[in-house]
Amino acid sequence: MIRGLWDRETVALLMIAAVAPLAAAWLWYGGVPAALRLVMMLLIAGAWHLIFLLARAQPPSYAGALTALAVAMLAPGGLGPLQIALGLSFGVVMGELVFGGWGRNIVNPATVTAMFLGFGFPAAGWPGVTAPLAWAAIGGVALGVGFGVMSARLAAGAIVAAAIAWAAGMAPDRAWMAAAVVFVLLVADPVTSAATALGRWLEGAAYAGLVVLFAANWQGATPVQLSVAAAFLASLAAPLLDELALWAWLQRRGRIHG
Amino acid sequence: MRLPARRGLTVPVGASPAPDAPIVTMLSDEAAVQPAPGEVLRVAPLVAAGDIVAAGAPLARLRHAPEITLTAPMPARVAAVDLAPGRILSRILLFHEPGADRTHLDVSGASDAGGLRDLLLASGAWRLLRRRPFGRMPPPGERPAAIFVMAVDSRPAAPDPLRALEGAEADLDRGLAGLAMLTDGPVLLCLPVGADPALGRGVPRLRRIEVGDGHPLGLAGMQVHALHPARGDRPVWDLHVEDAAAIGGLLRSGSMPETRLVSVAGDALRAGRLVRTQPGAHLGALSRDLTRPGPHSVLSGSALDGHEAGFLGPRDRQVTVLVRRAAARPPHWFVAALGRASRPRPLIPTAALEQALGGSIPAAPILRALAAGDAETAQRLGALSLVEEDLALADYVTGAVPRFSALLRVFLDRAAIEHEGAEAA
């Protein structure tokens, strides 16, 4: 009997391929400091994967590189190496590895890291997002959807909610670029986003709705900060939205089939 | 009623016969009557090695349900009756015997449900039925809530069921009318889009379902799950349209047809072919002259859900010959231990996974429930309507270890035991 190739690592590699344009744009504009930051994140995440490989027999995953990239791009800057290492270790270990590694985690480790650093060191400045990065992020979503590793429904839900907000005159002009980058790096993760059709529409809409809400009402928050917070809350809500979607599906089936 | 047209996936399997390839009749000299993979049949044999039997003659009865008869697919000399301890049937091996006759059963009593049931049990046609939940032969006294007749088969390189039906349209109508007597619910005839509208006309309680192409939409499980979910107290039967026509032929002539349409395909072949052969035929005889040199394995069933076997399985209509890849060097012990430590492997919900279950079943939740052993959720999401073949594509797509089809079998066996216990109490 024949087997396909779509195991966990294939999906992780395709995710990396999807965000590659974004990473390339970020490295191009960030130069050597950005590259050094990425290398440091890769080393820390890789070290934790190695420790869990030896201590818990958990095979390492290429998804660790995704986490490293997302943290390097989105975590607050201006922190010392110790603080960064502390934040990333917390995110990678408590967000992913203690659950059994990528594929079993319930929140994205990069989201946890960024939130942890944001709460722990509120004086640190959040990075900005420029237009080329935002366009690369949109290309990344298109690639990910084309590869089948990111959900088209998730993206459509976010776009529909953003369009409604725009029509209502609540367009988050200052946040949309950061929101796009955060979407491709954190929200579109297939493991921690919703897994049902309706749940994905709802989660996408919830993410965009939260971004709109925070952009309008959160005084003093930078675009990346509020987008990361929206991604965190949306991914926490994902299991609930999945349950809602399944409940609705079962109700409909119950009505049809008795 | 119509289901969405284009969903599902296409799986390449190497050489396969063109849909309109010529059909050759090849009867193999050997054939075997054997249980489906995983099925346990405790039998009382009625023949011994050396006996000459006519086609359709009874070979064995089930010990717990003596009405159910296993019959000879061809006139033959019994070569061996292989039983495992506990009188569990391994196989009854037959050699073709040209002189022997054909059994004709009396069909005069088959005009009501009871008589038809007796005829199906005595002729061996009962084995063509599959019951959901649990995916086995139905018990002899059961009255299903619905019967699905599958005139579509979307498995890679499967023979077109409508070609198998050519010339037997009248038998099909007779068979469908007979099946309608066995249930109070609907008979659902699943057809490809644009099939002949005359098929099954005039059969009471018949519903025509048009099914789009793309695997797995042409599997009975997807249609049962969508249209008439099976439950413990509401069993659903399914059978292939060629078998429904065979039942019609049985009602007309008193004997089962000699052959069924089988496709021979696979990447170890020079070319595919369509053959008409007897049930239980020897697979090597059908494929040997097409096989390219080199190591290969012969499966009964498709490349996705087939099992390595010597003879065609009871409900199978495909022979697949695959190149046997040289076993890779065994991995380092540490790498091997790592692989074993992380089972079941995590499931990443992707678009391919959704398509692998036809797009209308919540794929990730039901597979996660099976992998976690959460029988209650799996049952709520409709796992009782499925059998192993319905998850074979998900196994292919995700490379799952252990296979979801194996996990589903564990779930179904456990659910069957609980169901028996609940009925006994």
Side-chain angles (χ1 to χ4, degrees), chain B residues 150-162:
Chain B
M150 299 304 296
V152 282
D153 191 347
S154 57
R155 277 173 277 206
D160 180 3
L162 292 184

Side-chain angles (χ1 to χ4, degrees), chain A residues 8-258:
Chain A
R8 181 178 81 153
E9 294 313 301
T10 316
V11 177
L13 287 173
L14 284 173
M15 287 290 291
I16 290 175
V19 300
L22 180 61
W26 178 71
L27 286 173
W28 177 263
Y29 288 101
V32 175
L36 286 178
R37 195 171 149 91
L38 179 58
V39 168
M40 183 171 80
M41 302 296 176
L42 283 170
L43 286 177
I44 297 170
W48 278 112
H49 275 253
L50 187 67
I51 289 172
F52 270 74
L53 167 74
L54 297 173
R56 303 275 308 144
Q58 257 168 233
S61 168
Y62 292 115
L66 277 176
T67 307
L69 176 71
V71 172
M73 286 184 66
L74 298 176
L79 297 172
L82 183 69
Q83 290 153 326
I84 294 264
L86 188 68
L88 183 57
S89 300
F90 179 79
V92 169
V93 174
M94 301 310 287
E96 177 182 292
L97 292 175
V98 293
F99 293 102
W102 195 61
R104 299 186 214 274
N105 51 321
I106 49 173
V107 281
N108 188 318
T111 315
V112 176
T113 306
M115 289 300 287
F116 180 85
L117 290 174
F119 272 119
F121 308 102
W126 289 79
V129 168
T130 53
L133 286 191
W135 288 112
I138 291 170
V141 174
L143 271 179
V145 169
F147 290 150
V149 292
M150 294 182 191
S151 167
R153 293 193 177 94
L154 200 64
I159 291 169
V160 167
I164 291 173
W166 181 78
M170 297 166 62
D173 285 331
R174 69 189 182 98
W176 81 264
M177 289 193 293
V181 172
V182 169
F183 181 89
V184 69
L185 286 175
L186 303 184
V187 182
D189 175 9
V191 172
T192 56
S193 58
T196 54
L198 178 61
R200 285 169 171 163
W201 279 99
L202 291 176
E203 194 194 340
Y207 169 67
L210 285 170
V211 168
V212 170
L213 190 70
F214 290 163
N217 298 315
W218 187 349
Q219 303 302 326
T222 66
V224 169
Q225 184 181 10
L226 64 89
S227 299
V228 168
F232 184 63
L233 292 178
S235 80
L236 285 184
L240 180 68
L241 299 175
D242 267 345
E243 277 301 310
L244 277 178
L246 285 181
W247 179 81
W249 185 78
L250 287 169
Q251 290 294 313
R252 212 179 59 221
R253 257 170 91 78
R255 269 204 312 281
I256 297 172
H257 301 297

Side-chain angles (χ1 to χ4, degrees), chain A residues 1 3-4 6 153 200 253, chain B residues 225 234 306 354 396-397 400:
Chain A
M1 291 184 277
R3 310 306 298 271
W6 284 73
R153 293 193 177 94
R200 285 169 171 163
R253 257 170 91 78
Chain B
H225 190 281
R234 208 170 62 176
E354 234 168 86
Y396 170 77
V397 161

Side-chain angles (χ1 to χ4, degrees), chain B residues 30-47:
Chain B
E30 289 172 73
V33 174
Q34 54 188 7
E39 188 182 29
V40 175
L41 297 180
R42 291 178 194 275
V43 298
L46 303 174
V47 293

Side-chain angles (χ1 to χ4, degrees), chain B residues 7-10 150 152-156 211-223 304 352-359 361 389-394:
Chain B
R7 279 206 191 151
L9 304 167
T10 316
M150 299 304 296
V152 282
D153 191 347
S154 57
R155 277 173 277 206
V211 178
D213 23 293
H215 196 46
L217 288 187
L219 289 177
M222 298 300 136
Q223 307 304 329
L304 292 175
L353 182 72
E354 234 168 86
Q355 297 299 310
L357 287 188
I361 302 179
E389 66 178 27
D390 302 317
L391 297 187
L393 186 59

